[in-house]
Amino acid sequence: MAGFLTTHVLDTAWGRPASGMKIELFRIVGDRRDLLRSLVTNDDGRTDEQVLPSSEFERGTYELLFHAGDYLDSAGVPKENPRFLDIIPLRFGMSEDTHYHVPLLLSPFSFSTYRGS
């Protein structure tokens, strides 16, 4: 079985999926950071396609950039200058050929993540 990557973003302040959030995926190789794709979350806070499909999966180090500031702006959260959370980088490794699920739980002043299933 080849591995693949998915994500899910939940707005814990409002208790709903974070729809319309831009997410970018990078592969990290040494000092290089290569953009693989840019996606936007749907009404369920997920992407319509796998973030990294099996056909492109390679073990290694990756980074997801969650554009939380733009999402918070569109969700009507009062603006700060600068916003406490703007772009949230999550760097992680994938060492097995399996499904990796990296969700983000977000509020205007905190976030958390974990390796989901």
PDB file of all heavy atoms in Angstrom, residues 3 8 15 19 21 23 25 38-40 42 50-51 59 64-65 70-71 80 92-93 99 107 109:
ATOM      1  N   GLY A   3       1.503   5.259   0.628  1.00  0.00           N
ATOM      2  CA  GLY A   3       0.986   6.225   1.581  1.00  0.00           C
ATOM      3  C   GLY A   3       0.267   7.373   0.900  1.00  0.00           C
ATOM      4  O   GLY A   3       0.325   7.535  -0.322  1.00  0.00           O
ATOM      5  N   HIS A   8      -7.713  18.114   7.883  1.00  0.00           N
ATOM      6  CA  HIS A   8      -9.058  18.547   8.255  1.00  0.00           C
ATOM      7  C   HIS A   8      -8.848  19.735   9.184  1.00  0.00           C
ATOM      8  O   HIS A   8      -8.033  19.653  10.101  1.00  0.00           O
ATOM      9  CB  HIS A   8      -9.769  17.402   8.974  1.00  0.00           C
ATOM     10  CG  HIS A   8     -11.213  17.630   9.240  1.00  0.00           C
ATOM     11  ND1 HIS A   8     -11.913  16.855  10.140  1.00  0.00           N
ATOM     12  CD2 HIS A   8     -12.107  18.514   8.753  1.00  0.00           C
ATOM     13  CE1 HIS A   8     -13.169  17.252  10.173  1.00  0.00           C
ATOM     14  NE2 HIS A   8     -13.316  18.262   9.348  1.00  0.00           N
ATOM     15  N   GLY A  15     -16.990  26.196  16.689  1.00  0.00           N
ATOM     16  CA  GLY A  15     -17.521  24.836  16.683  1.00  0.00           C
ATOM     17  C   GLY A  15     -17.987  24.380  15.320  1.00  0.00           C
ATOM     18  O   GLY A  15     -19.036  23.749  15.185  1.00  0.00           O
ATOM     19  N   SER A  19     -14.064  26.330   6.583  1.00  0.00           N
ATOM     20  CA  SER A  19     -14.159  26.257   5.119  1.00  0.00           C
ATOM     21  C   SER A  19     -13.502  27.481   4.483  1.00  0.00           C
ATOM     22  O   SER A  19     -13.506  28.565   5.049  1.00  0.00           O
ATOM     23  CB  SER A  19     -15.611  26.135   4.681  1.00  0.00           C
ATOM     24  OG  SER A  19     -16.330  27.293   5.025  1.00  0.00           O
ATOM     25  N   MET A  21     -10.218  27.813   3.740  1.00  0.00           N
ATOM     26  CA  MET A  21      -8.846  28.089   4.164  1.00  0.00           C
ATOM     27  C   MET A  21      -7.856  27.549   3.137  1.00  0.00           C
ATOM     28  O   MET A  21      -7.920  26.388   2.749  1.00  0.00           O
ATOM     29  CB  MET A  21      -8.530  27.471   5.523  1.00  0.00           C
ATOM     30  CG  MET A  21      -7.104  27.810   5.984  1.00  0.00           C
ATOM     31  SD  MET A  21      -6.605  27.024   7.525  1.00  0.00           S
ATOM     32  CE  MET A  21      -7.674  27.854   8.678  1.00  0.00           C
ATOM     33  N   ILE A  23      -4.381  26.061   2.009  1.00  0.00           N
ATOM     34  CA  ILE A  23      -3.359  25.195   2.590  1.00  0.00           C
ATOM     35  C   ILE A  23      -2.327  24.908   1.502  1.00  0.00           C
ATOM     36  O   ILE A  23      -2.697  24.567   0.375  1.00  0.00           O
ATOM     37  CB  ILE A  23      -3.959  23.868   3.093  1.00  0.00           C
ATOM     38  CG1 ILE A  23      -5.027  24.130   4.151  1.00  0.00           C
ATOM     39  CG2 ILE A  23      -2.857  22.960   3.633  1.00  0.00           C
ATOM     40  CD1 ILE A  23      -5.806  22.884   4.530  1.00  0.00           C
ATOM     41  N   LEU A  25       1.285  22.673   0.595  1.00  0.00           N
ATOM     42  CA  LEU A  25       2.122  21.546   0.991  1.00  0.00           C
ATOM     43  C   LEU A  25       3.494  21.694   0.340  1.00  0.00           C
ATOM     44  O   LEU A  25       3.591  21.907  -0.877  1.00  0.00           O
ATOM     45  CB  LEU A  25       1.499  20.213   0.554  1.00  0.00           C
ATOM     46  CG  LEU A  25       2.383  18.982   0.809  1.00  0.00           C
ATOM     47  CD1 LEU A  25       2.553  18.727   2.306  1.00  0.00           C
ATOM     48  CD2 LEU A  25       1.818  17.764   0.101  1.00  0.00           C
ATOM     49  N   SER A  38      -1.250  23.574  -3.724  1.00  0.00           N
ATOM     50  CA  SER A  38      -2.012  24.544  -2.948  1.00  0.00           C
ATOM     51  C   SER A  38      -3.480  24.153  -3.071  1.00  0.00           C
ATOM     52  O   SER A  38      -3.969  23.922  -4.181  1.00  0.00           O
ATOM     53  CB  SER A  38      -1.773  25.947  -3.520  1.00  0.00           C
ATOM     54  OG  SER A  38      -2.485  26.906  -2.789  1.00  0.00           O
ATOM     55  N   LEU A  39      -4.160  24.042  -1.931  1.00  0.00           N
ATOM     56  CA  LEU A  39      -5.547  23.594  -1.886  1.00  0.00           C
ATOM     57  C   LEU A  39      -6.351  24.538  -0.999  1.00  0.00           C
ATOM     58  O   LEU A  39      -5.785  25.336  -0.256  1.00  0.00           O
ATOM     59  CB  LEU A  39      -5.621  22.180  -1.305  1.00  0.00           C
ATOM     60  CG  LEU A  39      -4.795  21.109  -2.013  1.00  0.00           C
ATOM     61  CD1 LEU A  39      -4.514  19.944  -1.079  1.00  0.00           C
ATOM     62  CD2 LEU A  39      -5.518  20.633  -3.241  1.00  0.00           C
ATOM     63  N   VAL A  40      -7.681  24.402  -1.062  1.00  0.00           N
ATOM     64  CA  VAL A  40      -8.579  25.188  -0.214  1.00  0.00           C
ATOM     65  C   VAL A  40      -9.566  24.225   0.430  1.00  0.00           C
ATOM     66  O   VAL A  40     -10.068  23.305  -0.228  1.00  0.00           O
ATOM     67  CB  VAL A  40      -9.333  26.259  -1.051  1.00  0.00           C
ATOM     68  CG1 VAL A  40     -10.340  27.004  -0.194  1.00  0.00           C
ATOM     69  CG2 VAL A  40      -8.342  27.234  -1.674  1.00  0.00           C
ATOM     70  N   ASN A  42     -12.971  22.705   1.922  1.00  0.00           N
ATOM     71  CA  ASN A  42     -14.372  22.765   1.499  1.00  0.00           C
ATOM     72  C   ASN A  42     -15.283  23.055   2.703  1.00  0.00           C
ATOM     73  O   ASN A  42     -14.789  23.369   3.794  1.00  0.00           O
ATOM     74  CB  ASN A  42     -14.764  21.473   0.773  1.00  0.00           C
ATOM     75  CG  ASN A  42     -14.590  20.237   1.635  1.00  0.00           C
ATOM     76  OD1 ASN A  42     -14.636  20.290   2.869  1.00  0.00           O
ATOM     77  ND2 ASN A  42     -14.384  19.092   0.989  1.00  0.00           N
ATOM     78  N   GLN A  50      -6.948  14.383  -1.909  1.00  0.00           N
ATOM     79  CA  GLN A  50      -5.897  14.132  -0.927  1.00  0.00           C
ATOM     80  C   GLN A  50      -4.833  15.227  -1.045  1.00  0.00           C
ATOM     81  O   GLN A  50      -4.510  15.681  -2.148  1.00  0.00           O
ATOM     82  CB  GLN A  50      -5.277  12.763  -1.154  1.00  0.00           C
ATOM     83  CG  GLN A  50      -6.255  11.633  -0.900  1.00  0.00           C
ATOM     84  CD  GLN A  50      -5.728  10.287  -1.338  1.00  0.00           C
ATOM     85  OE1 GLN A  50      -4.738  10.178  -2.046  1.00  0.00           O
ATOM     86  NE2 GLN A  50      -6.405   9.234  -0.910  1.00  0.00           N
ATOM     87  N   VAL A  51      -4.296  15.643   0.075  1.00  0.00           N
ATOM     88  CA  VAL A  51      -3.255  16.668   0.062  1.00  0.00           C
ATOM     89  C   VAL A  51      -2.029  16.148  -0.682  1.00  0.00           C
ATOM     90  O   VAL A  51      -1.421  16.850  -1.477  1.00  0.00           O
ATOM     91  CB  VAL A  51      -2.892  17.105   1.497  1.00  0.00           C
ATOM     92  CG1 VAL A  51      -1.762  18.123   1.486  1.00  0.00           C
ATOM     93  CG2 VAL A  51      -4.116  17.677   2.211  1.00  0.00           C
ATOM     94  N   ARG A  59       8.362   8.961   1.174  1.00  0.00           N
ATOM     95  CA  ARG A  59       8.713   9.169   2.574  1.00  0.00           C
ATOM     96  C   ARG A  59       9.616  10.395   2.654  1.00  0.00           C
ATOM     97  O   ARG A  59      10.376  10.678   1.736  1.00  0.00           O
ATOM     98  CB  ARG A  59       9.447   7.954   3.125  1.00  0.00           C
ATOM     99  CG  ARG A  59       8.588   6.714   3.179  1.00  0.00           C
ATOM    100  CD  ARG A  59       9.385   5.543   3.665  1.00  0.00           C
ATOM    101  NE  ARG A  59       8.581   4.325   3.613  1.00  0.00           N
ATOM    102  CZ  ARG A  59       8.926   3.216   4.221  1.00  0.00           C
ATOM    103  NH1 ARG A  59      10.051   3.144   4.907  1.00  0.00           N
ATOM    104  NH2 ARG A  59       8.150   2.157   4.132  1.00  0.00           N
ATOM    105  N   LEU A  64       3.146  21.687   6.010  1.00  0.00           N
ATOM    106  CA  LEU A  64       1.851  22.248   5.637  1.00  0.00           C
ATOM    107  C   LEU A  64       1.810  23.684   6.142  1.00  0.00           C
ATOM    108  O   LEU A  64       2.189  23.950   7.286  1.00  0.00           O
ATOM    109  CB  LEU A  64       0.707  21.463   6.289  1.00  0.00           C
ATOM    110  CG  LEU A  64       0.366  20.110   5.684  1.00  0.00           C
ATOM    111  CD1 LEU A  64      -0.577  19.345   6.610  1.00  0.00           C
ATOM    112  CD2 LEU A  64      -0.247  20.278   4.306  1.00  0.00           C
ATOM    113  N   LEU A  65       1.389  24.606   5.286  1.00  0.00           N
ATOM    114  CA  LEU A  65       1.164  25.993   5.693  1.00  0.00           C
ATOM    115  C   LEU A  65      -0.333  26.241   5.667  1.00  0.00           C
ATOM    116  O   LEU A  65      -0.970  26.147   4.618  1.00  0.00           O
ATOM    117  CB  LEU A  65       1.844  26.983   4.738  1.00  0.00           C
ATOM    118  CG  LEU A  65       3.349  27.061   4.751  1.00  0.00           C
ATOM    119  CD1 LEU A  65       3.818  28.192   3.835  1.00  0.00           C
ATOM    120  CD2 LEU A  65       3.891  27.261   6.147  1.00  0.00           C
ATOM    121  N   ASP A  70      -6.047  34.755   6.937  1.00  0.00           N
ATOM    122  CA  ASP A  70      -7.043  35.051   5.902  1.00  0.00           C
ATOM    123  C   ASP A  70      -8.378  34.403   6.238  1.00  0.00           C
ATOM    124  O   ASP A  70      -9.436  34.996   6.035  1.00  0.00           O
ATOM    125  CB  ASP A  70      -6.563  34.578   4.529  1.00  0.00           C
ATOM    126  CG  ASP A  70      -5.394  35.387   3.998  1.00  0.00           C
ATOM    127  OD1 ASP A  70      -5.166  36.520   4.498  1.00  0.00           O
ATOM    128  OD2 ASP A  70      -4.703  34.890   3.092  1.00  0.00           O
ATOM    129  N   TYR A  71      -8.316  33.154   6.746  1.00  0.00           N
ATOM    130  CA  TYR A  71      -9.551  32.479   7.142  1.00  0.00           C
ATOM    131  C   TYR A  71     -10.235  33.252   8.272  1.00  0.00           C
ATOM    132  O   TYR A  71     -11.444  33.489   8.231  1.00  0.00           O
ATOM    133  CB  TYR A  71      -9.284  31.031   7.585  1.00  0.00           C
ATOM    134  CG  TYR A  71     -10.453  30.474   8.342  1.00  0.00           C
ATOM    135  CD1 TYR A  71     -11.603  30.063   7.671  1.00  0.00           C
ATOM    136  CD2 TYR A  71     -10.466  30.446   9.730  1.00  0.00           C
ATOM    137  CE1 TYR A  71     -12.721  29.613   8.365  1.00  0.00           C
ATOM    138  CE2 TYR A  71     -11.568  29.993  10.435  1.00  0.00           C
ATOM    139  CZ  TYR A  71     -12.692  29.587   9.743  1.00  0.00           C
ATOM    140  OH  TYR A  71     -13.804  29.161  10.431  1.00  0.00           O
ATOM    141  N   GLU A  80      -6.616  42.208  14.067  1.00  0.00           N
ATOM    142  CA  GLU A  80      -5.527  42.744  14.875  1.00  0.00           C
ATOM    143  C   GLU A  80      -4.429  43.161  13.907  1.00  0.00           C
ATOM    144  O   GLU A  80      -4.381  42.660  12.793  1.00  0.00           O
ATOM    145  CB  GLU A  80      -4.951  41.656  15.787  1.00  0.00           C
ATOM    146  CG  GLU A  80      -5.956  40.924  16.628  1.00  0.00           C
ATOM    147  CD  GLU A  80      -5.336  39.642  17.145  1.00  0.00           C
ATOM    148  OE1 GLU A  80      -5.300  38.665  16.389  1.00  0.00           O
ATOM    149  OE2 GLU A  80      -4.884  39.658  18.285  1.00  0.00           O
ATOM    150  N   PHE A  92       6.605  18.070   9.561  1.00  0.00           N
ATOM    151  CA  PHE A  92       6.457  16.709  10.073  1.00  0.00           C
ATOM    152  C   PHE A  92       7.105  15.721   9.124  1.00  0.00           C
ATOM    153  O   PHE A  92       7.355  16.043   7.956  1.00  0.00           O
ATOM    154  CB  PHE A  92       4.965  16.365  10.277  1.00  0.00           C
ATOM    155  CG  PHE A  92       4.153  16.512   9.030  1.00  0.00           C
ATOM    156  CD1 PHE A  92       3.886  15.415   8.234  1.00  0.00           C
ATOM    157  CD2 PHE A  92       3.679  17.755   8.636  1.00  0.00           C
ATOM    158  CE1 PHE A  92       3.158  15.554   7.057  1.00  0.00           C
ATOM    159  CE2 PHE A  92       2.945  17.901   7.470  1.00  0.00           C
ATOM    160  CZ  PHE A  92       2.686  16.800   6.677  1.00  0.00           C
ATOM    161  N   GLY A  93       7.359  14.525   9.619  1.00  0.00           N
ATOM    162  CA  GLY A  93       7.952  13.480   8.804  1.00  0.00           C
ATOM    163  C   GLY A  93       6.967  12.360   8.528  1.00  0.00           C
ATOM    164  O   GLY A  93       6.107  12.056   9.361  1.00  0.00           O
ATOM    165  N   HIS A  99      -1.482   5.856   5.510  1.00  0.00           N
ATOM    166  CA  HIS A  99      -2.289   7.076   5.515  1.00  0.00           C
ATOM    167  C   HIS A  99      -1.842   7.971   6.661  1.00  0.00           C
ATOM    168  O   HIS A  99      -1.877   7.570   7.821  1.00  0.00           O
ATOM    169  CB  HIS A  99      -3.769   6.716   5.658  1.00  0.00           C
ATOM    170  CG  HIS A  99      -4.681   7.899   5.755  1.00  0.00           C
ATOM    171  ND1 HIS A  99      -5.954   7.782   6.239  1.00  0.00           N
ATOM    172  CD2 HIS A  99      -4.518   9.213   5.456  1.00  0.00           C
ATOM    173  CE1 HIS A  99      -6.541   8.968   6.214  1.00  0.00           C
ATOM    174  NE2 HIS A  99      -5.684   9.848   5.751  1.00  0.00           N
ATOM    175  N   SER A 107      -8.336  28.285  16.813  1.00  0.00           N
ATOM    176  CA  SER A 107      -9.107  29.406  17.339  1.00  0.00           C
ATOM    177  C   SER A 107      -8.261  30.650  17.082  1.00  0.00           C
ATOM    178  O   SER A 107      -7.100  30.525  16.679  1.00  0.00           O
ATOM    179  CB  SER A 107      -9.413  29.230  18.833  1.00  0.00           C
ATOM    180  OG  SER A 107      -8.281  29.529  19.612  1.00  0.00           O
ATOM    181  N   PHE A 109      -6.551  32.480  18.928  1.00  0.00           N
ATOM    182  CA  PHE A 109      -5.358  32.630  19.752  1.00  0.00           C
ATOM    183  C   PHE A 109      -4.659  31.326  20.090  1.00  0.00           C
ATOM    184  O   PHE A 109      -3.760  31.306  20.933  1.00  0.00           O
ATOM    185  CB  PHE A 109      -5.716  33.385  21.042  1.00  0.00           C
ATOM    186  CG  PHE A 109      -6.247  34.760  20.744  1.00  0.00           C
ATOM    187  CD1 PHE A 109      -7.602  35.022  20.846  1.00  0.00           C
ATOM    188  CD2 PHE A 109      -5.413  35.757  20.317  1.00  0.00           C
ATOM    189  CE1 PHE A 109      -8.108  36.274  20.554  1.00  0.00           C
ATOM    190  CE2 PHE A 109      -5.898  37.029  20.009  1.00  0.00           C
ATOM    191  CZ  PHE A 109      -7.250  37.282  20.129  1.00  0.00           C
TER     192      PHE A 109
END
